[in-house]
Amino acid sequence: MVLPSGFVVPALPYLVVLGLGLLLTTLLLLGLEPPVGKGHVLALLPWMAVGGIAHGFYQIPNPPGLYPEWAGPLFGAPAVYLTTYVLVATVWLLLIVLGTATNSLDRVVTYLGATGLGVLLVFLGVIIWQGMGPELSFQPLWPTVAFLVALVLTATTYFLVSLKWTGEVARTGVAGVAVVFAHAFDGVITTVGKDVLGAHERTPIPATIMDFAGQLPTAEYIGSGWLFLVVKLLLATAVVVAFAEYIEERPARGSLFLALITAVGIGPAMNNVVIYILG
C-alpha cells in the first residue's frame, strides 16, 4: 500500500464540481499568464497551511456545525487538495483583476500572501475556539515546541547549506527558505507525534522509515522519529540546491515546482498540528 489510510474518493457530484473548478481556474490562469516568481512560494505558504488545517478539521470529531454535512467530502483526502487549489486560484484570479483595474499588478503577490495570512489567522482562531470549548481539549504545548524547533532547524540548516552552496541558496532566496521550513516542520511534528504523543503514522513511507529507526539500537535513547526528520531535511536541501539554476532560468516553472514541494511539507504538518491540539 502506497497511499495513506483515510483516502476516500468523494461522490461523483463532488468530483464533477472540483474537476470543473480545477479546469476553469487553470485555464484562466494560463490565459492571463500572471508573473510568477520566488515570492509566490512564500505568498502561497499560508494558503497551504490552511489546506492542512481544513483537512485536520475533517479528521477530528467536530461538534455539529463546523462543516455543513454537504461540505464535509470537500475536505477529505484527496479532495482537500483540489478544494484548496480551486480556492487559491479563484482568489488569485480576483486579485489579478483587481490589480489590473488599479494598475498594481506588481502588488498581486503581496495581496495573495496577505489574504492567505488573514485566512490562516481565522483558521488558527477556530482551533483555539474549538479547544476552549466544553471539553477543554486544547493542547498546544507540543505543536508549539515543534514549530519553534522547526524555525531553529531551518535557520541552522540553511546557514550550513549556504556555506557550501552559497550561489544556489542566493538563487532560490525566500522560496528555498519556505521549502526547508515546510519539511523541517513536518519532520519535527511527526517526530513529536511518534515519540512523545504516541501517534500512529498514516502514510506508508514515513511509517516504514520510522519503523526501521525503531529497530536500531538508538531507538531506546532517541526514539524512532529522528530518521524521518533527517530524511526530510536532506531531501528539502537537495531540492533547493538542485533546482537553483532551474528557478533562475525558468522563474515561473521553477517557483511553481518549489511551491508544490513546499505544499507536501506544510500541508501534512498543519494537519498534524490540528490533530495533536484537538484530537
Side-chain angles (χ1 to χ4, degrees):
M1 181 179 181
V2 296
L3 294 176
S5 60
F7 261 52
V8 179
V9 178
L12 183 59
Y14 293 95
L15 291 177
V16 171
V17 170
L18 289 173
L20 289 175
L22 175 68
L23 179 63
L24 180 60
T25 54
T26 301
L27 288 176
L28 287 173
L29 284 173
L30 289 174
L32 292 174
E33 294 185 341
V36 179
K38 291 175 285 188
H40 285 79
V41 182
L42 191 61
L44 291 170
L45 185 63
W47 288 108
M48 302 167 190
V50 166
I53 295 174
H55 182 52
F57 286 157
Y58 173 82
Q59 291 180 275
I60 63 173
N62 299 312
L66 186 58
Y67 284 141
E69 185 176 352
W70 63 266
L74 294 172
F75 301 100
V80 67
Y81 300 110
L82 298 179
T83 302
T84 304
Y85 175 88
V86 173
L87 171 63
V88 176
T90 301
V91 172
W92 196 350
L93 287 167
L94 292 174
L95 291 174
I96 292 172
V97 173
L98 177 63
T100 302
T102 59
N103 197 28
S104 58
L105 276 174
D106 58 325
R107 299 187 62 83
V108 167
V109 62
T110 302
Y111 299 148
L112 183 63
T115 53
L117 182 60
V119 175
L120 176 60
L121 290 175
V122 171
F123 271 63
L124 293 176
V126 173
I127 294 176
I128 297 173
W129 168 65
Q130 287 283 84
M132 301 303 289
E135 297 182 1
L136 295 176
S137 59
F138 192 52
Q139 303 176 50
L141 174 61
W142 285 109
T144 302
V145 170
F147 175 76
L148 295 176
V149 171
L151 288 177
V152 174
L153 279 177
T154 300
T156 304
T157 302
Y158 219 64
F159 172 73
L160 293 175
V161 171
S162 68
L163 295 179
K164 174 68 175 178
W165 294 282
T166 307
E168 286 79 358
V169 167
R171 291 189 189 100
T172 54
V174 294
V177 175
V179 169
V180 174
F181 169 74
H183 289 274
F185 192 22
D186 186 29
V188 174
I189 195 72
T190 302
T191 300
V192 168
K194 178 69 173 179
D195 293 334
V196 179
L197 303 178
H200 171 70
E201 177 56 47
R202 298 189 306 154
T203 308
I205 294 178
T208 301
I209 294 173
M210 289 186 285
D211 287 344
F212 173 76
Q215 299 172 11
L216 299 175
T218 56
E220 182 180 353
Y221 306 101
I222 58 176
S224 58
W226 66 271
L227 184 58
F228 178 65
L229 172 59
V230 170
V231 169
K232 294 283 282 186
L233 287 174
L234 288 176
L235 289 176
T237 52
V239 167
V240 169
V241 173
F243 283 84
E245 185 174 344
Y246 184 72
I247 198 174
E248 189 173 63
E249 294 177 353
R250 297 179 177 269
R253 292 184 182 181
S255 297
L256 290 175
F257 175 78
L258 291 186
L260 176 62
I261 298 300
T262 302
V264 299
I266 198 64
M270 293 306 298
N271 175 70
N272 284 339
V273 165
V274 175
I275 299 301
Y276 298 156
I277 289 181
L278 301 179

